[in-house]
Amino acid sequence: MKRPKLFLFHFAGGNCYSYQFLTPYLAAFDVVATELPGRGRRIKESLIHDFDAAAMDLYRQVSNSVQHTPFLIYGHSMGAYLALRVVNLLERAGKYPHALIVSGNAGPGLEKPDKVMRYQLDRPAFIEVLKELGGMPEELLENELLFEIFEPVLRADFEITERNRIAEEAAVHAPLFALMGSRENDVADIDNWARFTKGRFERAVLKGDHFFIRNHAQRMADIITRLYYHEVGIQG
């Protein structure tokens, strides 16, 4: 029997290596770490600043390899927004994931109208935002030459996250599981994700900040595994 595919969508500033902490716990899956252009294995390609273009890029990566294979999609932070759009695109094409797993934000539609666009901040303010979110090595943020290399990637990804119409996104048919860290600013609104599925909705809050996932690899893997085997009717 073929192992189900698990597609991982990275967070802002991430790449195909961002989930190496998690993959050792996912032996039950054929893990596919997707990646947007301009970083990692796609470093020579131009960065994408547009949400729709980024979602279409990821859609092509997934759609081409799920003809006859069961699959799930997981995205963290920026990757969660993109995952929601990609699942909608896949379902319209008749390709239905067993589950959509999202983490690191409380879902679309909660942004304030006067919210500051972080991708437009000057460098000192932008660095402060990154420090608040956590997950970025201090040596990267404090080394001017090193930060200059990563800054365009981060700003492009923040623009994808903040300039889009994802708040108007239709609900998907796939079951949706949302996770957040207990110290994230909008954790109280996690149930907002329930609006974006016509299927079963579940959620969990785990101890930690925006990058809580790095401290809960086994728990994350257990949730993903349970979601798949529950959906296919196998006790696991």
Side-chain angles (χ1 to χ4, degrees), residues 44-59:
K44 294 183 179 180
E45 299 178 50
S46 298
L47 287 166
I48 292 176
H49 296 255
D50 177 71
F51 180 89
D52 294 343
M56 188 55 65
D57 184 283
L58 293 174
Y59 167 74

Side-chain angles (χ1 to χ4, degrees), residues 103 177-184 187 190 203-221 223:
S103 65
F177 197 109
L179 297 118
M180 291 189 71
S182 59
R183 297 196 300 274
E184 294 197 78
V187 62
I190 187 172
R203 47 88 142 187
V205 175
L206 304 183
K207 185 177 180 181
D209 58 17
H210 185 60
F211 283 96
F212 70 94
I213 56 176
R214 290 174 176 163
N215 297 320
H216 297 282
Q218 183 65 69
R219 177 82 170 107
M220 297 282 296
I223 288 171

